[in-house]
Amino acid sequence: MTSGFGRLNPIAETPAEFTPEWVTAALVQGGVRARVTGVETEAVGIGQIGACYRLHLRHDGGAPDKVIVKTAAGTQEQRTKVKSGYRTEVGFYTKLAHIAKIRRPHYWHAAISEDACAFTLLLEDAFPAKAGSQQEGCDLTQAKAALRNLAGLHAPFWDNQALAEDAGWVGNRGAAGVAMLTKIQAHGMARFTEQYRDDLTQEEVDLLHGAATMTHQWLSDAQGPRALLHGDYRLDNLMFAPDQVIAVDWQTLDAGLPTRDLAYFISTALTPEVRRTHERELVEAYHAQLMAYGVQDYTLEACQTDYRRGMLQAPLIVIIGWSVATSERSAKSDEMFVSLARRMCSALKEHDVLELLKYREQK
């Protein structure tokens, strides 16, 4: 990435580096002609593989009063494990975000090191929008808004050849990459179910392991439409305001069956009771928004079937995210992961997803 910073380091990772001069230069690079005269920094969020800060700015006019800085975090070993995510997030903002219709933060500056183990993003602050809570879940109105927003990511890239040609780095794993991903998930699943043995039923443990055994075949299945995926479209990665939903954390960007995002969100954001009652209504809202954005030749019936097919996204992303997390374990993070596991197991069971995919494999 080009920096335009002169002597200033384009990659800043600590509050001490977020000086008025650094922020001024970063904003200028993003087209904001203002001089920052003071910066106050606060840590925000509980990022699993990165760090996030809110900067309160004093300036001479023309600049935002608050911005967000996102950086890498953890040891060099930890960063090496997740550097593809760093590269992906920077790539989304600099190469793909302008095409998408989904609401996401504006960015002014993005830089990443050659080894991809360090990066800096200077982003719009979504405040006063509030992050969703995985433990609390969301209501029906919020869920519909989130899914209409999701359609704004998928529709512009729906079976779009440019996704393969211009962004071949997205979801382009090949056989070796798929094998590696499934190996990581299988290993992580064994540790996850052992660590949370007292919080999960035996049936839930069996469902999680069954899902992991299906992952390789599922990722290799090229049937159905293909689009750009957020990959980790869950409540903790969404900011809710009265009139909009803003999607953040683009480190799991992928390309594949669009309903993987849809199924992941619905199966983890809602309690089983709410999901069960409103599931079809939510899929219909997503499908209607796709049609409004111009997607053609994709029936509601096909969308409903693909919704079931997409449900292995939750056990894949949750377990890999848990495995590579660089933050310290806490009661809050434990509660979040157990909540995710319980909700996705409920959906897997009710939709008989493992049998559906086993049937497809036999055919």
Side-chain angles (χ1 to χ4, degrees):
M1 305 292 170
T2 57
S3 67
F5 272 70
R7 293 182 179 179
L8 293 180
N9 186 357
I11 299 176
E13 293 190 312
T14 66
E17 296 175 277
F18 307 145
T19 63
E21 294 78 14
W22 186 91
V23 178
T24 296
L27 288 172
V28 167
Q29 176 175 291
V32 177
R33 299 296 172 181
R35 185 172 69 89
V36 176
T37 58
V39 179
E40 294 182 9
T41 304
E42 64 171 316
V44 294
I46 53 169
Q48 298 299 317
I49 61 174
C52 197
Y53 303 91
R54 175 175 287 116
L55 308 187
H56 301 264
L57 308 181
R58 296 189 299 276
H59 52 82
D60 60 3
D65 293 331
K66 300 182 183 70
V67 295
I68 294 293
V69 174
K70 189 167 185 178
T71 73
T75 65
Q76 185 66 24
E77 180 181 1
Q78 290 171 320
R79 292 177 183 219
T80 299
K81 290 180 180 179
V82 298
K83 66 180 182 181
S84 63
Y86 299 158
R87 186 182 291 113
T88 295
E89 183 156 38
V90 171
F92 170 74
Y93 280 107
T94 58
K95 299 178 181 180
L96 298 175
H98 68 285
I99 301 173
K101 297 181 185 297
I102 192 171
R103 293 186 180 92
R104 79 288 175 192
H106 174 74
Y107 89 96
W108 291 283
H109 170 67
I112 190 166
S113 62
E114 289 187 9
D115 65 1
C117 288
F119 78 97
T120 303
L121 282 167
L122 184 65
L123 302 169
E124 172 190 10
D125 188 0
F127 182 86
K130 295 182 179 180
S133 169
Q134 192 58 53
Q135 293 88 333
E136 296 175 9
C138 67
D139 60 31
L140 184 60
T141 299
Q142 291 174 315
K144 285 185 176 179
L147 293 177
R148 293 188 181 108
N149 195 41
L150 179 61
L153 172 65
H154 296 161
F157 297 96
W158 198 269
D159 283 337
N160 191 334
Q161 187 61 28
L163 183 60
E165 295 174 352
D166 300 336
W169 47 274
V170 176
N172 187 21
R173 300 186 188 90
V178 170
M180 177 63 71
L181 201 62
T182 54
K183 182 178 180 180
I184 293 172
Q185 185 197 18
H187 180 67
M189 188 69 78
R191 295 189 296 114
F192 182 90
T193 52
E194 180 60 31
Q195 178 165 304
Y196 297 116
R197 170 69 66 176
D198 294 339
D199 300 296
L200 302 171
T201 67
Q202 186 59 50
E203 183 179 35
E204 288 169 336
V205 170
D206 292 342
L207 278 167
L208 290 172
H209 282 288
T213 64
M214 293 269 183
T215 298
H216 190 281
Q217 175 261 336
W218 178 73
L219 286 175
S220 302
D221 187 352
Q223 297 186 51
R226 179 181 172 88
L228 189 66
L229 309 181
H230 182 282
D232 197 12
Y233 199 77
R234 57 183 170 84
L235 286 174
D236 287 339
N237 290 335
L238 299 176
M239 305 292 293
F240 289 88
D243 59 342
Q244 65 179 348
V245 179
I246 302 169
V248 298
D249 288 346
W250 294 87
Q251 296 180 344
T252 49
L253 204 67
D254 203 349
L257 186 69
T259 50
R260 287 165 53 183
D261 276 341
L262 175 69
Y264 181 41
F265 177 82
I266 293 177
S267 66
T268 61
L270 305 167
T271 65
E273 295 76 19
V274 174
R275 173 187 53 75
R276 202 174 294 123
T277 302
H278 298 288
E279 201 163 32
R280 184 170 183 85
E281 183 181 354
L282 290 169
V283 175
E284 288 175 352
Y286 164 80
H287 180 264
Q289 193 63 51
L290 285 179
M291 300 299 103
Y293 279 130
V295 172
Q296 300 178 348
D297 301 323
Y298 190 58
T299 66
L300 178 58
E301 181 182 5
C303 187
Q304 292 281 2
T305 299
D306 286 345
Y307 166 66
R308 293 177 64 203
R309 290 176 55 211
M311 282 193 178
L312 291 194
Q313 182 74 4
L316 173 66
I317 297 300
V318 169
I319 298 306
I320 290 180
W322 177 84
S323 298
V324 303
T326 58
S327 59
E328 292 293 328
R329 180 182 174 185
S330 67
K332 188 172 183 178
S333 64
D334 282 347
E335 186 179 356
M336 180 188 73
F337 281 116
V338 170
S339 168
L340 285 164
R342 287 173 172 167
R343 291 179 182 182
M344 66 191 180
C345 283
S346 175
L348 288 169
K349 177 183 177 181
E350 290 177 24
H351 285 281
D352 209 8
V353 173
L354 302 189
E355 284 300 315
L356 171 71
L357 295 176
K358 188 182 297 182
Y359 170 78
R360 290 174 55 79
E361 187 175 28
Q362 290 171 349
K363 294 293 283 186

